[in-house]
Amino acid sequence: RSVATEAATIHGPLNVREMFCACAACESRDFSLSACGMRAEFGNYKIEYAKRAVPRDQHNTRMRSLDEFAHTLRAGQVQAIAVAPDQRHIEGNIWFVLLLSDAYVASEDILHSTYQIEAGWWVVKAKYYYRVQRSPRAYLLHAHERVLVVNTLIRLPAPVEFDSPRQTPRLAAMLTEPGMPGHATSVVGPLRLMSDKKYNAIESSMQDVR
């Protein structure tokens, strides 16, 4: 294993071996090839090479990136939210929201039933899309307005675009059934469609943009 957890992604050549011993040299972190007093038991260190990390721009901090992203958010855009692991069984790894306002800084604390927003955070007013059909993926807009923290949005390079909306008899019948996620009393049209190809592309980009 690597003698330093972060070194594997920062430095090139590393002295590594399978086990870490507690001799005086190793405890003092002298990992030169001849320093270890238990080489006969644990073997010598060997040199391995790890890919160096791309140097970070010290002026491009995460907070600055958040500010820049917040300034691109406009009312009418569709954005994506990464779903918590314990909720992914509902609709998958991504939820979509329609922004009802530009992003703004909260002037006071906002208390919600499941979370609290602190004054000074970037927030935006939005409504969630509910998936009402699996294939093709079909969404209707939930009627309830929420205030979301901008930092929960996936920082995609451009807003999400749905495919051309269309209604189907099967979906229309489903929406009239009480208790369904897309019940007509809690959602509003028009129907929005998204191909699996587009959804998978957004999903695969999550690791690159978060």
Side-chain angles (χ1 to χ4, degrees):
R1 66 182 180 179
S2 169
V3 296
T5 303
E6 295 182 356
T9 57
I10 299 176
H11 304 296
L14 301 172
N15 288 333
V16 299
R17 75 175 171 192
E18 295 182 357
M19 301 183 68
F20 181 85
C21 78
C23 74
C26 289
E27 286 230 328
S28 64
R29 296 194 174 277
D30 180 0
F31 301 125
S32 55
L33 296 180
S34 60
C36 178
M38 302 187 70
R39 295 193 306 277
E41 291 79 5
F42 298 136
N44 288 323
Y45 286 97
K46 60 181 180 178
I47 296 178
E48 297 286 353
Y49 289 86
K51 183 178 180 181
R52 292 182 183 273
V54 177
R56 292 185 177 181
D57 182 352
Q58 297 300 320
H59 299 288
N60 187 19
T61 63
R62 180 173 175 81
M63 182 56 67
R64 182 181 177 186
S65 296
L66 174 61
D67 290 343
E68 291 175 349
F69 176 64
H71 281 104
T72 67
L73 300 179
R74 296 290 183 268
Q77 292 178 352
V78 176
Q79 296 288 341
I81 293 180
V83 180
D86 62 343
Q87 297 178 315
R88 291 174 183 169
H89 66 281
I90 302 174
E91 292 188 12
N93 297 331
I94 303 171
W95 283 336
F96 297 106
V97 294
L98 174 66
L99 303 189
L100 304 179
S101 71
D102 296 356
Y104 61 96
V105 177
S107 59
E108 58 184 4
D109 293 350
I110 303 173
L111 182 62
H112 190 268
S113 58
T114 56
Y115 59 87
Q116 180 174 351
I117 297 174
E118 297 182 10
W121 288 4
W122 279 104
V123 294
V124 64
K125 295 179 181 179
K127 290 183 179 179
Y128 278 92
Y129 280 99
Y130 274 60
R131 191 187 68 187
V132 293
Q133 182 172 282
R134 288 181 178 271
S135 183
R137 292 177 177 272
Y139 297 86
L140 285 174
L141 192 64
H142 198 276
H144 183 61
E145 178 181 319
R146 295 175 180 268
V147 176
L148 303 179
V149 178
V150 169
N151 204 30
T152 63
L153 302 180
I154 302 172
R155 299 176 200 177
L156 298 171
V160 175
E161 293 186 4
F162 285 113
D163 300 327
S164 299
R166 62 182 174 86
Q167 182 66 281
T168 65
R170 173 171 170 264
L171 182 59
M174 183 182 70
L175 294 178
T176 62
E177 297 178 14
M180 294 297 291
H183 193 250
T185 59
S186 60
V187 295
V188 293
L191 181 69
R192 301 298 187 185
L193 296 181
M194 178 173 291
S195 66
D196 289 340
K197 181 179 180 180
K198 180 178 291 187
Y199 179 89
N200 293 337
I202 296 173
E203 189 176 51
S204 64
S205 70
M206 288 170 58
Q207 294 183 347
D208 299 328
V209 299
R210 286 295 290 173

PDB file of all heavy atoms in Angstrom, residues 1-3 12-19 31-34 36 39 42-50:
ATOM      1  N   ARG A   1       0.839  -1.200   0.000  1.00  0.00           N
ATOM      2  CA  ARG A   1       0.000   0.000   0.000  1.00  0.00           C
ATOM      3  C   ARG A   1       0.867   1.240   0.000  1.00  0.00           C
ATOM      4  O   ARG A   1       2.030   1.187   0.381  1.00  0.00           O
ATOM      5  CB  ARG A   1      -0.913   0.000   1.217  1.00  0.00           C
ATOM      6  CG  ARG A   1      -0.196   0.115   2.544  1.00  0.00           C
ATOM      7  CD  ARG A   1      -1.189   0.067   3.702  1.00  0.00           C
ATOM      8  NE  ARG A   1      -0.476   0.170   4.962  1.00  0.00           N
ATOM      9  CZ  ARG A   1      -1.054   0.179   6.142  1.00  0.00           C
ATOM     10  NH1 ARG A   1      -2.364   0.075   6.217  1.00  0.00           N
ATOM     11  NH2 ARG A   1      -0.365   0.264   7.244  1.00  0.00           N
ATOM     12  N   SER A   2       0.337   2.342  -0.389  1.00  0.00           N
ATOM     13  CA  SER A   2       1.093   3.575  -0.433  1.00  0.00           C
ATOM     14  C   SER A   2       1.375   4.060   0.982  1.00  0.00           C
ATOM     15  O   SER A   2       0.554   3.918   1.885  1.00  0.00           O
ATOM     16  CB  SER A   2       0.301   4.649  -1.186  1.00  0.00           C
ATOM     17  OG  SER A   2       0.917   5.904  -1.021  1.00  0.00           O
ATOM     18  N   VAL A   3       2.551   4.636   1.192  1.00  0.00           N
ATOM     19  CA  VAL A   3       2.897   5.130   2.526  1.00  0.00           C
ATOM     20  C   VAL A   3       2.201   6.444   2.830  1.00  0.00           C
ATOM     21  O   VAL A   3       2.212   6.897   3.966  1.00  0.00           O
ATOM     22  CB  VAL A   3       4.428   5.297   2.664  1.00  0.00           C
ATOM     23  CG1 VAL A   3       5.110   3.957   2.538  1.00  0.00           C
ATOM     24  CG2 VAL A   3       4.956   6.264   1.617  1.00  0.00           C
ATOM     25  N   GLY A  12       4.853  11.473  -8.217  1.00  0.00           N
ATOM     26  CA  GLY A  12       5.121  10.425  -9.203  1.00  0.00           C
ATOM     27  C   GLY A  12       5.644   9.153  -8.564  1.00  0.00           C
ATOM     28  O   GLY A  12       4.893   8.235  -8.260  1.00  0.00           O
ATOM     29  N   PRO A  13       6.982   9.027  -8.331  1.00  0.00           N
ATOM     30  CA  PRO A  13       7.531   7.791  -7.764  1.00  0.00           C
ATOM     31  C   PRO A  13       7.195   7.659  -6.282  1.00  0.00           C
ATOM     32  O   PRO A  13       7.299   8.605  -5.512  1.00  0.00           O
ATOM     33  CB  PRO A  13       9.036   7.953  -7.978  1.00  0.00           C
ATOM     34  CG  PRO A  13       9.257   9.429  -8.043  1.00  0.00           C
ATOM     35  CD  PRO A  13       8.019  10.005  -8.672  1.00  0.00           C
ATOM     36  N   LEU A  14       6.796   6.451  -5.867  1.00  0.00           N
ATOM     37  CA  LEU A  14       6.442   6.181  -4.475  1.00  0.00           C
ATOM     38  C   LEU A  14       7.157   4.927  -4.006  1.00  0.00           C
ATOM     39  O   LEU A  14       7.291   3.961  -4.753  1.00  0.00           O
ATOM     40  CB  LEU A  14       4.929   5.969  -4.319  1.00  0.00           C
ATOM     41  CG  LEU A  14       4.002   7.094  -4.749  1.00  0.00           C
ATOM     42  CD1 LEU A  14       2.563   6.614  -4.694  1.00  0.00           C
ATOM     43  CD2 LEU A  14       4.186   8.297  -3.843  1.00  0.00           C
ATOM     44  N   ASN A  15       7.593   4.919  -2.747  1.00  0.00           N
ATOM     45  CA  ASN A  15       8.101   3.701  -2.125  1.00  0.00           C
ATOM     46  C   ASN A  15       6.917   2.961  -1.518  1.00  0.00           C
ATOM     47  O   ASN A  15       6.242   3.487  -0.629  1.00  0.00           O
ATOM     48  CB  ASN A  15       9.131   4.027  -1.033  1.00  0.00           C
ATOM     49  CG  ASN A  15      10.442   4.525  -1.616  1.00  0.00           C
ATOM     50  OD1 ASN A  15      10.786   4.184  -2.743  1.00  0.00           O
ATOM     51  ND2 ASN A  15      11.175   5.329  -0.862  1.00  0.00           N
ATOM     52  N   VAL A  16       6.653   1.754  -1.967  1.00  0.00           N
ATOM     53  CA  VAL A  16       5.487   1.010  -1.497  1.00  0.00           C
ATOM     54  C   VAL A  16       5.879  -0.421  -1.143  1.00  0.00           C
ATOM     55  O   VAL A  16       6.893  -0.937  -1.617  1.00  0.00           O
ATOM     56  CB  VAL A  16       4.374   0.980  -2.571  1.00  0.00           C
ATOM     57  CG1 VAL A  16       3.902   2.369  -2.920  1.00  0.00           C
ATOM     58  CG2 VAL A  16       4.847   0.266  -3.828  1.00  0.00           C
ATOM     59  N   ARG A  17       5.072  -1.039  -0.286  1.00  0.00           N
ATOM     60  CA  ARG A  17       5.149  -2.478  -0.060  1.00  0.00           C
ATOM     61  C   ARG A  17       3.847  -2.928   0.554  1.00  0.00           C
ATOM     62  O   ARG A  17       3.002  -2.111   0.929  1.00  0.00           O
ATOM     63  CB  ARG A  17       6.348  -2.843   0.809  1.00  0.00           C
ATOM     64  CG  ARG A  17       6.215  -2.542   2.278  1.00  0.00           C
ATOM     65  CD  ARG A  17       7.430  -3.067   3.020  1.00  0.00           C
ATOM     66  NE  ARG A  17       7.425  -2.616   4.388  1.00  0.00           N
ATOM     67  CZ  ARG A  17       8.465  -2.722   5.189  1.00  0.00           C
ATOM     68  NH1 ARG A  17       9.580  -3.254   4.750  1.00  0.00           N
ATOM     69  NH2 ARG A  17       8.385  -2.295   6.432  1.00  0.00           N
ATOM     70  N   GLU A  18       3.654  -4.215   0.674  1.00  0.00           N
ATOM     71  CA  GLU A  18       2.360  -4.758   1.054  1.00  0.00           C
ATOM     72  C   GLU A  18       2.005  -4.480   2.506  1.00  0.00           C
ATOM     73  O   GLU A  18       0.827  -4.370   2.846  1.00  0.00           O
ATOM     74  CB  GLU A  18       2.335  -6.264   0.791  1.00  0.00           C
ATOM     75  CG  GLU A  18       2.437  -6.626  -0.681  1.00  0.00           C
ATOM     76  CD  GLU A  18       2.373  -8.121  -0.916  1.00  0.00           C
ATOM     77  OE1 GLU A  18       2.306  -8.863   0.090  1.00  0.00           O
ATOM     78  OE2 GLU A  18       2.396  -8.537  -2.081  1.00  0.00           O
ATOM     79  N   MET A  19       2.990  -4.394   3.400  1.00  0.00           N
ATOM     80  CA  MET A  19       2.700  -4.235   4.821  1.00  0.00           C
ATOM     81  C   MET A  19       3.504  -3.077   5.392  1.00  0.00           C
ATOM     82  O   MET A  19       4.587  -2.749   4.896  1.00  0.00           O
ATOM     83  CB  MET A  19       3.028  -5.517   5.599  1.00  0.00           C
ATOM     84  CG  MET A  19       2.260  -6.740   5.119  1.00  0.00           C
ATOM     85  SD  MET A  19       2.599  -8.193   6.114  1.00  0.00           S
ATOM     86  CE  MET A  19       1.839  -7.732   7.671  1.00  0.00           C
ATOM     87  N   PHE A  31      11.531   6.009   5.004  1.00  0.00           N
ATOM     88  CA  PHE A  31      11.195   4.913   4.097  1.00  0.00           C
ATOM     89  C   PHE A  31      12.276   4.662   3.051  1.00  0.00           C
ATOM     90  O   PHE A  31      11.993   4.135   1.978  1.00  0.00           O
ATOM     91  CB  PHE A  31       9.862   5.209   3.404  1.00  0.00           C
ATOM     92  CG  PHE A  31       8.721   5.381   4.366  1.00  0.00           C
ATOM     93  CD1 PHE A  31       7.950   6.532   4.351  1.00  0.00           C
ATOM     94  CD2 PHE A  31       8.429   4.417   5.306  1.00  0.00           C
ATOM     95  CE1 PHE A  31       6.899   6.700   5.234  1.00  0.00           C
ATOM     96  CE2 PHE A  31       7.391   4.576   6.198  1.00  0.00           C
ATOM     97  CZ  PHE A  31       6.613   5.713   6.167  1.00  0.00           C
ATOM     98  N   SER A  32      13.486   5.061   3.346  1.00  0.00           N
ATOM     99  CA  SER A  32      14.566   4.729   2.435  1.00  0.00           C
ATOM    100  C   SER A  32      14.732   3.210   2.378  1.00  0.00           C
ATOM    101  O   SER A  32      14.385   2.490   3.321  1.00  0.00           O
ATOM    102  CB  SER A  32      15.869   5.403   2.878  1.00  0.00           C
ATOM    103  OG  SER A  32      16.182   5.064   4.220  1.00  0.00           O
ATOM    104  N   LEU A  33      15.299   2.713   1.277  1.00  0.00           N
ATOM    105  CA  LEU A  33      15.289   1.276   1.002  1.00  0.00           C
ATOM    106  C   LEU A  33      16.024   0.457   2.052  1.00  0.00           C
ATOM    107  O   LEU A  33      15.703  -0.712   2.273  1.00  0.00           O
ATOM    108  CB  LEU A  33      15.890   1.028  -0.384  1.00  0.00           C
ATOM    109  CG  LEU A  33      15.107   1.615  -1.562  1.00  0.00           C
ATOM    110  CD1 LEU A  33      15.797   1.301  -2.878  1.00  0.00           C
ATOM    111  CD2 LEU A  33      13.683   1.063  -1.579  1.00  0.00           C
ATOM    112  N   SER A  34      17.017   1.022   2.735  1.00  0.00           N
ATOM    113  CA  SER A  34      17.810   0.236   3.687  1.00  0.00           C
ATOM    114  C   SER A  34      17.502   0.562   5.149  1.00  0.00           C
ATOM    115  O   SER A  34      18.141   0.005   6.047  1.00  0.00           O
ATOM    116  CB  SER A  34      19.310   0.470   3.427  1.00  0.00           C
ATOM    117  OG  SER A  34      19.636   1.841   3.572  1.00  0.00           O
ATOM    118  N   CYS A  36      14.543   0.248   7.003  1.00  0.00           N
ATOM    119  CA  CYS A  36      13.634  -0.625   7.751  1.00  0.00           C
ATOM    120  C   CYS A  36      14.400  -1.743   8.453  1.00  0.00           C
ATOM    121  O   CYS A  36      15.243  -2.422   7.850  1.00  0.00           O
ATOM    122  CB  CYS A  36      12.591  -1.220   6.812  1.00  0.00           C
ATOM    123  SG  CYS A  36      11.448  -2.365   7.634  1.00  0.00           S
ATOM    124  N   ARG A  39      13.215  -5.830   7.287  1.00  0.00           N
ATOM    125  CA  ARG A  39      13.128  -6.148   5.858  1.00  0.00           C
ATOM    126  C   ARG A  39      13.021  -7.646   5.626  1.00  0.00           C
ATOM    127  O   ARG A  39      12.356  -8.102   4.711  1.00  0.00           O
ATOM    128  CB  ARG A  39      14.353  -5.594   5.124  1.00  0.00           C
ATOM    129  CG  ARG A  39      14.451  -4.079   5.135  1.00  0.00           C
ATOM    130  CD  ARG A  39      15.501  -3.582   4.140  1.00  0.00           C
ATOM    131  NE  ARG A  39      16.790  -4.209   4.349  1.00  0.00           N
ATOM    132  CZ  ARG A  39      17.691  -3.820   5.250  1.00  0.00           C
ATOM    133  NH1 ARG A  39      17.394  -2.781   6.038  1.00  0.00           N
ATOM    134  NH2 ARG A  39      18.846  -4.417   5.371  1.00  0.00           N
ATOM    135  N   PHE A  42       9.207  -8.459   6.298  1.00  0.00           N
ATOM    136  CA  PHE A  42       8.196  -7.802   5.476  1.00  0.00           C
ATOM    137  C   PHE A  42       8.646  -7.516   4.047  1.00  0.00           C
ATOM    138  O   PHE A  42       7.835  -7.128   3.207  1.00  0.00           O
ATOM    139  CB  PHE A  42       7.765  -6.483   6.125  1.00  0.00           C
ATOM    140  CG  PHE A  42       7.127  -6.657   7.478  1.00  0.00           C
ATOM    141  CD1 PHE A  42       7.464  -5.828   8.534  1.00  0.00           C
ATOM    142  CD2 PHE A  42       6.200  -7.663   7.689  1.00  0.00           C
ATOM    143  CE1 PHE A  42       6.873  -5.995   9.778  1.00  0.00           C
ATOM    144  CE2 PHE A  42       5.616  -7.834   8.939  1.00  0.00           C
ATOM    145  CZ  PHE A  42       5.955  -7.004   9.984  1.00  0.00           C
ATOM    146  N   GLY A  43       9.926  -7.691   3.780  1.00  0.00           N
ATOM    147  CA  GLY A  43      10.420  -7.423   2.440  1.00  0.00           C
ATOM    148  C   GLY A  43      10.800  -5.969   2.257  1.00  0.00           C
ATOM    149  O   GLY A  43      10.484  -5.103   3.081  1.00  0.00           O
ATOM    150  N   ASN A  44      11.500  -5.701   1.180  1.00  0.00           N
ATOM    151  CA  ASN A  44      11.941  -4.347   0.884  1.00  0.00           C
ATOM    152  C   ASN A  44      10.816  -3.530   0.250  1.00  0.00           C
ATOM    153  O   ASN A  44       9.895  -4.075  -0.364  1.00  0.00           O
ATOM    154  CB  ASN A  44      13.135  -4.369  -0.073  1.00  0.00           C
ATOM    155  CG  ASN A  44      14.394  -4.855   0.611  1.00  0.00           C
ATOM    156  OD1 ASN A  44      14.636  -4.550   1.782  1.00  0.00           O
ATOM    157  ND2 ASN A  44      15.194  -5.629  -0.107  1.00  0.00           N
ATOM    158  N   TYR A  45      10.917  -2.214   0.409  1.00  0.00           N
ATOM    159  CA  TYR A  45      10.048  -1.333  -0.353  1.00  0.00           C
ATOM    160  C   TYR A  45      10.442  -1.399  -1.824  1.00  0.00           C
ATOM    161  O   TYR A  45      11.585  -1.695  -2.174  1.00  0.00           O
ATOM    162  CB  TYR A  45      10.178   0.117   0.132  1.00  0.00           C
ATOM    163  CG  TYR A  45       9.508   0.388   1.453  1.00  0.00           C
ATOM    164  CD1 TYR A  45      10.241   0.376   2.636  1.00  0.00           C
ATOM    165  CD2 TYR A  45       8.153   0.643   1.522  1.00  0.00           C
ATOM    166  CE1 TYR A  45       9.638   0.617   3.853  1.00  0.00           C
ATOM    167  CE2 TYR A  45       7.537   0.889   2.735  1.00  0.00           C
ATOM    168  CZ  TYR A  45       8.284   0.875   3.895  1.00  0.00           C
ATOM    169  OH  TYR A  45       7.676   1.108   5.096  1.00  0.00           O
ATOM    170  N   LYS A  46       9.501  -1.140  -2.671  1.00  0.00           N
ATOM    171  CA  LYS A  46       9.819  -1.040  -4.090  1.00  0.00           C
ATOM    172  C   LYS A  46       9.212   0.253  -4.627  1.00  0.00           C
ATOM    173  O   LYS A  46       8.280   0.816  -4.059  1.00  0.00           O
ATOM    174  CB  LYS A  46       9.276  -2.235  -4.867  1.00  0.00           C
ATOM    175  CG  LYS A  46       7.775  -2.408  -4.808  1.00  0.00           C
ATOM    176  CD  LYS A  46       7.351  -3.635  -5.602  1.00  0.00           C
ATOM    177  CE  LYS A  46       5.834  -3.829  -5.547  1.00  0.00           C
ATOM    178  NZ  LYS A  46       5.413  -5.000  -6.350  1.00  0.00           N
ATOM    179  N   ILE A  47       9.775   0.725  -5.725  1.00  0.00           N
ATOM    180  CA  ILE A  47       9.337   1.993  -6.302  1.00  0.00           C
ATOM    181  C   ILE A  47       8.224   1.738  -7.306  1.00  0.00           C
ATOM    182  O   ILE A  47       8.352   0.903  -8.198  1.00  0.00           O
ATOM    183  CB  ILE A  47      10.511   2.719  -6.986  1.00  0.00           C
ATOM    184  CG1 ILE A  47      11.572   3.085  -5.945  1.00  0.00           C
ATOM    185  CG2 ILE A  47      10.027   3.969  -7.704  1.00  0.00           C
ATOM    186  CD1 ILE A  47      12.790   3.769  -6.539  1.00  0.00           C
ATOM    187  N   GLU A  48       7.107   2.428  -7.128  1.00  0.00           N
ATOM    188  CA  GLU A  48       5.994   2.397  -8.077  1.00  0.00           C
ATOM    189  C   GLU A  48       5.740   3.830  -8.538  1.00  0.00           C
ATOM    190  O   GLU A  48       6.075   4.788  -7.843  1.00  0.00           O
ATOM    191  CB  GLU A  48       4.720   1.816  -7.434  1.00  0.00           C
ATOM    192  CG  GLU A  48       4.840   0.369  -6.995  1.00  0.00           C
ATOM    193  CD  GLU A  48       4.811  -0.591  -8.169  1.00  0.00           C
ATOM    194  OE1 GLU A  48       4.558  -0.121  -9.295  1.00  0.00           O
ATOM    195  OE2 GLU A  48       5.023  -1.805  -7.956  1.00  0.00           O
ATOM    196  N   TYR A  49       5.117   3.929  -9.703  1.00  0.00           N
ATOM    197  CA  TYR A  49       4.842   5.260 -10.253  1.00  0.00           C
ATOM    198  C   TYR A  49       3.338   5.458 -10.385  1.00  0.00           C
ATOM    199  O   TYR A  49       2.637   4.574 -10.883  1.00  0.00           O
ATOM    200  CB  TYR A  49       5.522   5.443 -11.604  1.00  0.00           C
ATOM    201  CG  TYR A  49       7.028   5.562 -11.478  1.00  0.00           C
ATOM    202  CD1 TYR A  49       7.821   4.427 -11.448  1.00  0.00           C
ATOM    203  CD2 TYR A  49       7.632   6.809 -11.341  1.00  0.00           C
ATOM    204  CE1 TYR A  49       9.193   4.533 -11.298  1.00  0.00           C
ATOM    205  CE2 TYR A  49       9.004   6.917 -11.194  1.00  0.00           C
ATOM    206  CZ  TYR A  49       9.790   5.773 -11.170  1.00  0.00           C
ATOM    207  OH  TYR A  49      11.134   5.875 -11.009  1.00  0.00           O
ATOM    208  N   ALA A  50       2.862   6.587  -9.914  1.00  0.00           N
ATOM    209  CA  ALA A  50       1.437   6.922  -9.977  1.00  0.00           C
ATOM    210  C   ALA A  50       1.264   8.149 -10.854  1.00  0.00           C
ATOM    211  O   ALA A  50       2.144   9.013 -10.930  1.00  0.00           O
ATOM    212  CB  ALA A  50       0.881   7.196  -8.582  1.00  0.00           C
TER     213      ALA A  50
END
